Amino acid sequence: MNKKLIAILSVLVVTVLLFVGYKTFLSPKGVEGQKAVTIQVINKNEDVDETFQYNTDHEFLLELLEEKEEELGVTFEHYDIGTMVTGMLGYVANPENQEYFHVYINGEDAMTGPGEIPLNDGDTYIFELKNY
Amino acid sequence: MRIRDIALIGILSAIITAGKLALSFIPNVEVVTLLFIAYTMVFGYKKALLIAVVFTTTEIFIYGFSTWLLGYYLIWPILIMVTELLKKRAKSEYGYAIIGAIFGYTFGFFFAVVESLFYGVAYGWVYWIRGLLFDLVHGTSNFIIILILLKPIVDILNRLKRTYYGV
């Protein structure tokens, strides 16, 4: 077989193995079963501070936001790297004013987008309009 | 530097920008690495470094300024200098394909370090871990693209160089 083809196939096989390893060990895992969670939306520009309680079977925050899209007035932007929340309760963050919705999980800064935030029973997810 | 060189640098950087935009619909599959390696091999590191500056500055005009673009001013010159050092030793495209693969696999790590200088180590760490799959695609696609396309592109560029400079 052609030497280059063998090299390419070998690299592809290693890549697939690493992909499986990442999915198995490093990607965030959701928790199955019923969970009671709280979503809070803070928008000081509009004098908004509302709290919503949900019981859900969803494993990730994005799934819950998609289900409650109308009630929470959520706007999404889809990127290659994942989905970002750009609007809450009908208010869309204006990038020209450096606005964005910052996500907190139990008061701590979220490090990933909602698609990778697992829902845990009793957790509070805060979406606060901030400036970067 | 002659006007002929300035025009060449403009054209070659435009080709990189066009190549990047043409493939932008496939995340992390690009020909920028391939072209910088080919340019360094054919035109030398001095011209390639100037092309890298023009290319990165053009990126700012297209996407606006952000912290990741600062990394671009460093990472492409690093690739060019590594290629320049390898030029005397590498006898085939395999060496360059391996360099391109390593470059792709560590791309996210490099930017995580740069980002952590602005937003803290925790952010940089998450940035790197969350981008590992993209780095995986980047490194592997670089390896394949360079292995297949480097030799034909270098041959074409060498021919065009001879015609352009009349040597």
Side-chain angles (χ1 to χ4, degrees), chain A residues 47-63:
Chain A
D47 209 17
V48 167
D49 186 344
E50 286 192 42
T51 303
F52 303 83
Q53 312 270 0
Y54 295 113
N55 285 306
T56 180
D57 281 331
H58 290 306
E59 294 185 9
F60 290 92
L61 180 58
L62 181 63
E63 295 162 1

PDB file of all heavy atoms in Angstrom, chain A residues 47-63:
ATOM      1  N   ASP A  47     -34.375  46.794  35.052  1.00  0.00           N
ATOM      2  CA  ASP A  47     -34.877  46.614  36.424  1.00  0.00           C
ATOM      3  C   ASP A  47     -35.586  45.255  36.585  1.00  0.00           C
ATOM      4  O   ASP A  47     -36.688  45.176  37.136  1.00  0.00           O
ATOM      5  CB  ASP A  47     -35.832  47.766  36.774  1.00  0.00           C
ATOM      6  CG  ASP A  47     -35.827  48.051  38.269  1.00  0.00           C
ATOM      7  OD1 ASP A  47     -34.865  47.592  38.927  1.00  0.00           O
ATOM      8  OD2 ASP A  47     -36.766  48.684  38.770  1.00  0.00           O
ATOM      9  N   VAL A  48     -34.935  44.224  36.047  1.00  0.00           N
ATOM     10  CA  VAL A  48     -35.525  42.883  36.080  1.00  0.00           C
ATOM     11  C   VAL A  48     -34.708  41.979  37.006  1.00  0.00           C
ATOM     12  O   VAL A  48     -33.476  41.979  36.950  1.00  0.00           O
ATOM     13  CB  VAL A  48     -35.551  42.271  34.652  1.00  0.00           C
ATOM     14  CG1 VAL A  48     -35.868  40.782  34.704  1.00  0.00           C
ATOM     15  CG2 VAL A  48     -36.563  42.994  33.782  1.00  0.00           C
ATOM     16  N   ASP A  49     -35.400  41.269  37.889  1.00  0.00           N
ATOM     17  CA  ASP A  49     -34.771  40.224  38.703  1.00  0.00           C
ATOM     18  C   ASP A  49     -35.850  39.174  38.965  1.00  0.00           C
ATOM     19  O   ASP A  49     -36.637  39.289  39.898  1.00  0.00           O
ATOM     20  CB  ASP A  49     -34.234  40.824  40.012  1.00  0.00           C
ATOM     21  CG  ASP A  49     -33.447  39.804  40.807  1.00  0.00           C
ATOM     22  OD1 ASP A  49     -33.568  38.595  40.521  1.00  0.00           O
ATOM     23  OD2 ASP A  49     -32.693  40.193  41.716  1.00  0.00           O
ATOM     24  N   GLU A  50     -35.872  38.173  38.098  1.00  0.00           N
ATOM     25  CA  GLU A  50     -36.939  37.170  38.201  1.00  0.00           C
ATOM     26  C   GLU A  50     -36.366  35.782  38.424  1.00  0.00           C
ATOM     27  O   GLU A  50     -35.295  35.455  37.902  1.00  0.00           O
ATOM     28  CB  GLU A  50     -37.794  37.163  36.923  1.00  0.00           C
ATOM     29  CG  GLU A  50     -38.716  38.363  36.819  1.00  0.00           C
ATOM     30  CD  GLU A  50     -39.750  38.204  35.722  1.00  0.00           C
ATOM     31  OE1 GLU A  50     -40.311  37.096  35.584  1.00  0.00           O
ATOM     32  OE2 GLU A  50     -39.974  39.191  35.000  1.00  0.00           O
ATOM     33  N   THR A  51     -37.121  34.984  39.171  1.00  0.00           N
ATOM     34  CA  THR A  51     -36.659  33.630  39.490  1.00  0.00           C
ATOM     35  C   THR A  51     -37.701  32.608  39.017  1.00  0.00           C
ATOM     36  O   THR A  51     -38.908  32.845  39.159  1.00  0.00           O
ATOM     37  CB  THR A  51     -36.454  33.499  41.018  1.00  0.00           C
ATOM     38  OG1 THR A  51     -35.522  34.507  41.423  1.00  0.00           O
ATOM     39  CG2 THR A  51     -35.905  32.149  41.391  1.00  0.00           C
ATOM     40  N   PHE A  52     -37.203  31.522  38.460  1.00  0.00           N
ATOM     41  CA  PHE A  52     -38.089  30.464  37.945  1.00  0.00           C
ATOM     42  C   PHE A  52     -37.639  29.126  38.544  1.00  0.00           C
ATOM     43  O   PHE A  52     -36.444  28.839  38.578  1.00  0.00           O
ATOM     44  CB  PHE A  52     -38.008  30.379  36.416  1.00  0.00           C
ATOM     45  CG  PHE A  52     -38.350  31.670  35.718  1.00  0.00           C
ATOM     46  CD1 PHE A  52     -37.387  32.671  35.568  1.00  0.00           C
ATOM     47  CD2 PHE A  52     -39.628  31.880  35.219  1.00  0.00           C
ATOM     48  CE1 PHE A  52     -37.702  33.866  34.933  1.00  0.00           C
ATOM     49  CE2 PHE A  52     -39.948  33.075  34.578  1.00  0.00           C
ATOM     50  CZ  PHE A  52     -38.981  34.070  34.437  1.00  0.00           C
ATOM     51  N   GLN A  53     -38.591  28.335  38.992  1.00  0.00           N
ATOM     52  CA  GLN A  53     -38.287  27.012  39.561  1.00  0.00           C
ATOM     53  C   GLN A  53     -38.779  25.950  38.582  1.00  0.00           C
ATOM     54  O   GLN A  53     -39.896  26.061  38.080  1.00  0.00           O
ATOM     55  CB  GLN A  53     -39.041  26.812  40.892  1.00  0.00           C
ATOM     56  CG  GLN A  53     -38.938  27.956  41.863  1.00  0.00           C
ATOM     57  CD  GLN A  53     -37.764  27.818  42.804  1.00  0.00           C
ATOM     58  OE1 GLN A  53     -37.023  26.848  42.725  1.00  0.00           O
ATOM     59  NE2 GLN A  53     -37.577  28.796  43.672  1.00  0.00           N
ATOM     60  N   TYR A  54     -37.948  24.957  38.351  1.00  0.00           N
ATOM     61  CA  TYR A  54     -38.346  23.890  37.420  1.00  0.00           C
ATOM     62  C   TYR A  54     -38.002  22.518  37.991  1.00  0.00           C
ATOM     63  O   TYR A  54     -36.968  22.352  38.654  1.00  0.00           O
ATOM     64  CB  TYR A  54     -37.618  24.042  36.079  1.00  0.00           C
ATOM     65  CG  TYR A  54     -37.989  25.305  35.325  1.00  0.00           C
ATOM     66  CD1 TYR A  54     -37.044  26.313  35.138  1.00  0.00           C
ATOM     67  CD2 TYR A  54     -39.269  25.473  34.811  1.00  0.00           C
ATOM     68  CE1 TYR A  54     -37.375  27.469  34.460  1.00  0.00           C
ATOM     69  CE2 TYR A  54     -39.608  26.628  34.129  1.00  0.00           C
ATOM     70  CZ  TYR A  54     -38.657  27.627  33.950  1.00  0.00           C
ATOM     71  OH  TYR A  54     -38.991  28.770  33.281  1.00  0.00           O
ATOM     72  N   ASN A  55     -38.862  21.571  37.681  1.00  0.00           N
ATOM     73  CA  ASN A  55     -38.529  20.162  37.900  1.00  0.00           C
ATOM     74  C   ASN A  55     -38.284  19.575  36.517  1.00  0.00           C
ATOM     75  O   ASN A  55     -39.137  19.696  35.636  1.00  0.00           O
ATOM     76  CB  ASN A  55     -39.690  19.429  38.573  1.00  0.00           C
ATOM     77  CG  ASN A  55     -39.784  19.799  40.027  1.00  0.00           C
ATOM     78  OD1 ASN A  55     -38.812  19.683  40.774  1.00  0.00           O
ATOM     79  ND2 ASN A  55     -40.933  20.304  40.432  1.00  0.00           N
ATOM     80  N   THR A  56     -37.144  18.988  36.334  1.00  0.00           N
ATOM     81  CA  THR A  56     -36.791  18.552  34.972  1.00  0.00           C
ATOM     82  C   THR A  56     -36.039  17.223  34.960  1.00  0.00           C
ATOM     83  O   THR A  56     -35.362  16.879  35.934  1.00  0.00           O
ATOM     84  CB  THR A  56     -35.917  19.636  34.283  1.00  0.00           C
ATOM     85  OG1 THR A  56     -35.582  19.200  32.982  1.00  0.00           O
ATOM     86  CG2 THR A  56     -34.644  19.933  35.061  1.00  0.00           C
ATOM     87  N   ASP A  57     -36.170  16.549  33.828  1.00  0.00           N
ATOM     88  CA  ASP A  57     -35.404  15.318  33.600  1.00  0.00           C
ATOM     89  C   ASP A  57     -34.203  15.585  32.700  1.00  0.00           C
ATOM     90  O   ASP A  57     -33.391  14.692  32.464  1.00  0.00           O
ATOM     91  CB  ASP A  57     -36.278  14.260  32.901  1.00  0.00           C
ATOM     92  CG  ASP A  57     -37.202  13.569  33.888  1.00  0.00           C
ATOM     93  OD1 ASP A  57     -36.820  13.477  35.070  1.00  0.00           O
ATOM     94  OD2 ASP A  57     -38.295  13.140  33.478  1.00  0.00           O
ATOM     95  N   HIS A  58     -34.128  16.794  32.167  1.00  0.00           N
ATOM     96  CA  HIS A  58     -33.024  17.115  31.266  1.00  0.00           C
ATOM     97  C   HIS A  58     -31.684  17.005  31.998  1.00  0.00           C
ATOM     98  O   HIS A  58     -31.608  17.222  33.205  1.00  0.00           O
ATOM     99  CB  HIS A  58     -33.179  18.540  30.712  1.00  0.00           C
ATOM    100  CG  HIS A  58     -34.320  18.672  29.753  1.00  0.00           C
ATOM    101  ND1 HIS A  58     -34.464  17.865  28.664  1.00  0.00           N
ATOM    102  CD2 HIS A  58     -35.380  19.524  29.726  1.00  0.00           C
ATOM    103  CE1 HIS A  58     -35.552  18.207  28.000  1.00  0.00           C
ATOM    104  NE2 HIS A  58     -36.140  19.202  28.635  1.00  0.00           N
ATOM    105  N   GLU A  59     -30.646  16.717  31.201  1.00  0.00           N
ATOM    106  CA  GLU A  59     -29.330  16.541  31.820  1.00  0.00           C
ATOM    107  C   GLU A  59     -28.457  17.789  31.726  1.00  0.00           C
ATOM    108  O   GLU A  59     -27.526  17.965  32.497  1.00  0.00           O
ATOM    109  CB  GLU A  59     -28.616  15.346  31.173  1.00  0.00           C
ATOM    110  CG  GLU A  59     -29.337  14.037  31.474  1.00  0.00           C
ATOM    111  CD  GLU A  59     -28.618  12.818  30.957  1.00  0.00           C
ATOM    112  OE1 GLU A  59     -27.470  12.948  30.514  1.00  0.00           O
ATOM    113  OE2 GLU A  59     -29.224  11.737  31.007  1.00  0.00           O
ATOM    114  N   PHE A  60     -28.740  18.626  30.710  1.00  0.00           N
ATOM    115  CA  PHE A  60     -27.914  19.824  30.529  1.00  0.00           C
ATOM    116  C   PHE A  60     -28.792  21.081  30.504  1.00  0.00           C
ATOM    117  O   PHE A  60     -29.949  21.041  30.073  1.00  0.00           O
ATOM    118  CB  PHE A  60     -27.086  19.720  29.244  1.00  0.00           C
ATOM    119  CG  PHE A  60     -25.988  18.694  29.344  1.00  0.00           C
ATOM    120  CD1 PHE A  60     -26.200  17.391  28.934  1.00  0.00           C
ATOM    121  CD2 PHE A  60     -24.747  19.034  29.885  1.00  0.00           C
ATOM    122  CE1 PHE A  60     -25.195  16.437  29.047  1.00  0.00           C
ATOM    123  CE2 PHE A  60     -23.739  18.095  30.008  1.00  0.00           C
ATOM    124  CZ  PHE A  60     -23.964  16.791  29.586  1.00  0.00           C
ATOM    125  N   LEU A  61     -28.185  22.199  30.916  1.00  0.00           N
ATOM    126  CA  LEU A  61     -28.917  23.457  31.029  1.00  0.00           C
ATOM    127  C   LEU A  61     -29.518  23.883  29.686  1.00  0.00           C
ATOM    128  O   LEU A  61     -30.644  24.377  29.638  1.00  0.00           O
ATOM    129  CB  LEU A  61     -27.958  24.542  31.568  1.00  0.00           C
ATOM    130  CG  LEU A  61     -28.528  25.942  31.765  1.00  0.00           C
ATOM    131  CD1 LEU A  61     -29.715  25.930  32.727  1.00  0.00           C
ATOM    132  CD2 LEU A  61     -27.449  26.893  32.284  1.00  0.00           C
ATOM    133  N   LEU A  62     -28.774  23.671  28.608  1.00  0.00           N
ATOM    134  CA  LEU A  62     -29.262  24.092  27.290  1.00  0.00           C
ATOM    135  C   LEU A  62     -30.590  23.420  26.939  1.00  0.00           C
ATOM    136  O   LEU A  62     -31.500  24.060  26.403  1.00  0.00           O
ATOM    137  CB  LEU A  62     -28.208  23.789  26.212  1.00  0.00           C
ATOM    138  CG  LEU A  62     -28.591  24.192  24.799  1.00  0.00           C
ATOM    139  CD1 LEU A  62     -28.784  25.696  24.672  1.00  0.00           C
ATOM    140  CD2 LEU A  62     -27.540  23.727  23.790  1.00  0.00           C
ATOM    141  N   GLU A  63     -30.702  22.133  27.289  1.00  0.00           N
ATOM    142  CA  GLU A  63     -31.944  21.401  26.973  1.00  0.00           C
ATOM    143  C   GLU A  63     -33.140  22.022  27.708  1.00  0.00           C
ATOM    144  O   GLU A  63     -34.224  22.162  27.138  1.00  0.00           O
ATOM    145  CB  GLU A  63     -31.794  19.927  27.379  1.00  0.00           C
ATOM    146  CG  GLU A  63     -30.738  19.191  26.570  1.00  0.00           C
ATOM    147  CD  GLU A  63     -30.285  17.889  27.233  1.00  0.00           C
ATOM    148  OE1 GLU A  63     -30.809  17.548  28.319  1.00  0.00           O
ATOM    149  OE2 GLU A  63     -29.403  17.237  26.674  1.00  0.00           O
TER     150      GLU A  63
END
